[in-house]
Amino acid sequence: MAEVIRMPKMSDTMEEGVIAAWLVKEGDTVKSGDILAEVETDKATMELESYEDGVLLHIGPKEQEAVPVDGLIAIIGEKGEDYQSLLDESSQGQPASDKQQSEPELEEATNTSEPAAEEIDVSDINASLITMPKMSDTMEEGTIASWLKSEGDEVSSGDILAEVETDKATMELEAYEDGILLHIGAEEGASVPVDGIIAVIGEKGANYQLLLDAHQQKKKPEKAQVASNEAETSTVAQEKPAKENKEIATPTEESGGRIKASPLAKKLAKEKGYDLSKIKGSAENGRIVKRDVENYQPAKEVEKTETAIPATIGEEKFEEVPLTQMRKTIAKRLAQSKFTAPHFYVTMEINMDKTMEARKSLNEISPVKISFNDIVIKAVAAAIRQNPAVNISFMEDRLRKNHHIHIGVAVAVDEGLLVPVIRFADTKSLSHISSEVKELAKLATEKKLQPSQWEGSTFTISNLGMFGVEEFTAIINPPDACILAVGGIKSTAVVKDGALVPGNVMKVTLSCDHRAVDGATAAAFLKTLKDILEDPVRILI
């Protein structure tokens, strides 16, 4: 009996997946465990396995098409088996009305001078459109960071066409076709909406303009108008900054040739004052990457940069830099949190004398160096276990009481903030937490975090103590209901047994969503946290 293969929910935030590439075709015999396709979702490309033996009777979406969770992807069954009833069953509630309206719409289109989308025949055009994939659940558009190929270049399946900057990371856009890069639809620095045209690959001389016209004609008139307006606005708004950035980021060219370098390499070179033309690239085709900039040993270049005198003293200068996708997402999510969730704040001062002594003793025997932040994470997890009412999320019409404790740890990166998650933090030792925090922080800095490593937090910690900050308030990281802002440890006079003595104190501030957490609940949690940190042997029991 034929079985429907549906789009699985590969992460807790996933709403749809994009078919990056089909590895089989209709009529192929497949076995359980065979890889059917590559699916792009939640900032990663994953393999879609078959769980059935049989023949691939039907493929639903084409490559680069998005499919919602539980949407039909394919049908597997016995050769010659009738699967039409499965298609009809899967399409109930959507295409029925569409089919009823399609005939009169076609008639109306036929009677007007404007041709219907189906009238453009692209079957004989040996070319394919490359569109912007949805690389994350929050992605609405991507920015072309750099093109690694030019129009007219010959490309093979698997070649990297361009680097695309999303809200979380800079990713490589692969070609899934062999052919000639006939057309580039977006210049470097330009933003392209999801499913917008990036490029066209095909045979030399193919009429790709007909493909572009057919793609545009498939859109509804009102959607096409909106998309056109947005494209115009995006082009006008970003054309000038893109050129300015290019002048700033691209170093002096030799013999009129463009120096090939990754966006991160350009950024590092600019920060260090290096001339990219003097750095030798170790990547494909001599392309300069991060490690080349880090390993570069400048001679007199840095000295010249340090002694450079401005041409005009007191000259007013500024630079406008387009927002990165990560910064756009941070702005959107935090603004939504701040103005949607009613925040209130509770601050408490904690004596850290015993914690400092305990950390010194622990590091004498620990296989990894334990930081104060590691101890705070462990103490917070223990305090949550005793005060589960703060381990909660407001879900509009209900409250989600989390029975597991996943601690999100805010990590600053060059372009913003990422929050990797320490899962089941209350069950892990201090050395385990320390090792995991270091590894996740490294991956975050290198933009190599996977979705499973930043999703699912139930409580967040933001620590600025290492920067000398004594006290601050943090904005809640949704869907969590609480975030703890941790300041630095300060040596000061404290009262002990009625006498004024030197001591070490740390201030913490708990930001709470008042829709889910009350003041008394927040105070009880902080009281428990204070008791644990002032006598840290409790977290070792």
Side-chain angles (χ1 to χ4, degrees):
M1 182 177 177
E3 295 287 341
V4 174
I5 306 300
R6 300 186 181 276
M7 177 63 71
K9 189 175 180 67
M10 298 176 177
S11 75
D12 58 345
T13 58
M14 176 178 170
E15 295 179 357
E16 64 179 11
V18 176
I19 303 297
W22 279 105
L23 307 183
V24 292
K25 60 182 182 297
E26 287 185 359
D28 284 356
T29 299
V30 296
K31 296 181 179 180
S32 178
D34 286 355
I35 306 302
L36 300 179
E38 293 178 338
V39 177
E40 292 178 354
T41 179
D42 281 326
K43 309 147 195 89
T45 300
M46 303 182 183
E47 295 177 334
L48 179 69
E49 291 186 12
S50 171
Y51 298 104
E52 303 288 338
D53 295 340
V55 175
L56 188 61
L57 302 174
H58 173 74
I59 289 179
K62 298 178 181 178
E63 291 183 356
Q64 302 304 321
E65 287 188 357
V67 183
V69 170
D70 291 332
L72 185 145
I73 297 179
I75 296 178
I76 294 177
E78 296 180 0
K79 187 175 181 179
E81 186 175 355
D82 184 9
Y83 57 86
Q84 187 59 45
S85 60
L86 291 176
L87 289 177
D88 295 339
E89 182 179 342
S90 296
S91 62
Q92 279 183 357
Q94 286 183 349
S97 58
D98 294 345
K99 290 178 181 178
Q100 292 172 1
Q101 295 176 358
S102 61
E103 292 183 5
E105 284 175 357
L106 279 174
E107 281 183 20
E108 185 178 346
T110 306
N111 294 331
T112 62
S113 59
E114 183 180 355
E118 289 76 10
E119 292 183 6
I120 296 182
D121 184 8
V122 296
S123 59
D124 295 332
I125 300 177
N126 294 321
S128 300
L129 294 177
I130 306 299
T131 57
M132 178 63 73
K134 187 176 178 68
M135 298 176 176
S136 79
D137 56 297
T138 56
M139 178 178 171
E140 296 178 355
E141 63 181 10
T143 300
I144 304 298
S146 65
W147 277 103
L148 307 183
K149 299 289 184 180
S150 304
E151 286 188 358
D153 285 357
E154 193 170 312
V155 297
S156 302
S157 178
D159 286 357
I160 307 302
L161 300 178
E163 291 181 321
V164 177
E165 186 182 85
T166 70
D167 53 355
K168 292 292 192 299
T170 299
M171 300 184 177
E172 295 177 333
L173 179 69
E174 291 187 16
Y176 298 108
E177 303 283 346
D178 296 340
I180 305 295
L181 184 58
L182 302 174
H183 171 70
I184 289 178
E187 299 296 327
E188 289 184 2
S191 294
V192 182
V194 171
D195 291 332
I197 294 175
I198 298 177
V200 181
I201 294 177
E203 291 185 355
K204 187 175 182 180
N207 184 10
Y208 64 84
Q209 186 59 48
L210 205 58
L211 277 178
L212 299 178
D213 294 342
H215 180 82
Q216 183 67 19
Q217 196 176 49
K218 288 179 182 177
K219 301 178 182 178
K220 293 183 179 179
E222 55 269 38
K223 287 187 178 179
Q225 185 62 38
V226 171
S228 175
N229 292 341
E230 289 178 348
E232 279 186 32
T233 304
S234 175
T235 302
V236 172
Q238 299 209 25
E239 184 177 0
K240 185 175 179 181
K243 290 180 180 178
E244 290 176 353
N245 287 346
K246 201 169 184 180
E247 291 173 2
I248 294 168
T250 305
T252 305
E253 296 179 356
E254 298 178 354
S255 305
R258 177 178 173 275
I259 297 174
K260 296 181 179 180
S262 71
L264 187 54
K266 291 179 182 179
K267 182 177 180 181
L268 286 175
K270 179 185 173 185
E271 290 175 352
K272 295 177 180 290
Y274 294 168
D275 184 350
L276 276 175
S277 65
K278 298 181 180 180
I279 301 177
K280 184 176 180 181
S282 61
E284 183 182 3
N285 298 323
R287 186 162 167 268
I288 302 170
V289 293
K290 176 184 175 184
R291 63 175 177 270
D292 300 322
V293 179
E294 291 177 336
N295 296 333
Y296 175 63
Q297 297 294 330
K300 298 180 181 180
E301 180 182 351
V302 174
E303 184 179 342
K304 290 171 63 178
T305 303
E306 292 175 348
T307 58
I309 300 175
T312 304
I313 297 177
E315 179 183 3
E316 293 185 359
K317 300 174 71 175
F318 66 89
E319 175 187 354
E320 292 184 354
V321 181
L323 290 176
T324 63
Q325 295 302 311
M326 181 184 293
R327 180 54 62 186
K328 287 180 182 179
T329 299
I330 291 172
K332 180 179 178 181
R333 284 175 57 82
L334 293 187
Q336 181 182 14
S337 173
K338 182 67 175 177
F339 299 118
T340 301
H343 285 52
F344 76 90
Y345 310 95
V346 183
T347 300
M348 187 168 285
E349 192 173 84
I350 301 173
N351 189 308
M352 296 292 286
D353 288 344
K354 288 188 177 181
T355 295
M356 293 176 71
E357 294 175 4
R359 176 176 177 261
K360 183 178 179 180
S361 298
L362 287 168
N363 279 329
E364 291 177 356
I365 59 173
S366 175
V368 294
K369 185 177 181 180
I370 296 172
S371 68
F372 286 111
N373 192 56
D374 302 328
I375 296 175
V376 169
I377 292 171
K378 180 67 175 177
V380 165
I384 291 173
R385 183 57 66 196
Q386 297 181 45
N387 299 269
V390 298
N391 199 37
I392 198 168
S393 300
F394 182 81
M395 309 296 289
E396 298 301 335
D397 59 344
R398 64 193 184 282
L399 291 177
R400 175 180 290 172
K401 296 182 178 180
N402 299 298
H403 299 298
H404 56 280
I405 299 175
H406 291 351
I407 304 294
V409 182
V411 175
V413 294
D414 291 340
E415 298 176 8
L417 194 71
L418 290 175
V419 187
V421 179
I422 307 298
R423 299 181 182 278
F424 307 105
D426 57 321
T427 67
K428 295 178 178 178
S429 66
L430 281 169
S431 58
H432 188 160
I433 290 174
S434 178
S435 299
E436 193 169 343
V437 168
K438 289 180 176 65
E439 177 64 20
L440 290 174
K442 179 183 177 184
L443 292 174
T445 303
E446 296 173 351
K447 292 186 177 181
K448 293 181 180 179
L449 280 177
Q450 294 300 306
S452 60
Q453 294 169 318
W454 70 62
E455 295 171 340
S457 67
T458 62
F459 189 101
T460 305
I461 296 174
S462 180
N463 190 344
L464 295 180
M466 65 284 292
F467 299 107
V469 176
E470 293 183 13
E471 182 182 0
F472 70 103
T473 58
I475 299 175
I476 296 167
N477 177 38
D480 302 352
C482 297
I483 182 170
L484 184 72
V486 182
I489 299 174
K490 178 182 178 182
S491 296
T492 186
V494 298
V495 177
K496 186 174 183 180
D497 299 328
L500 203 61
V501 297
N504 298 279
V505 298
M506 178 180 75
K507 287 186 178 180
V508 296
T509 299
L510 186 67
S511 304
C512 303
D513 183 347
H514 216 327
R515 298 173 300 177
V517 178
D518 296 325
T521 303
F525 166 78
L526 286 183
K527 178 64 168 60
T528 304
L529 179 63
K530 176 182 173 72
D531 292 342
I532 292 173
L533 287 175
E534 290 186 347
D535 189 11
V537 70
R538 300 184 182 199
I539 61 176
L540 302 177
I541 299 175

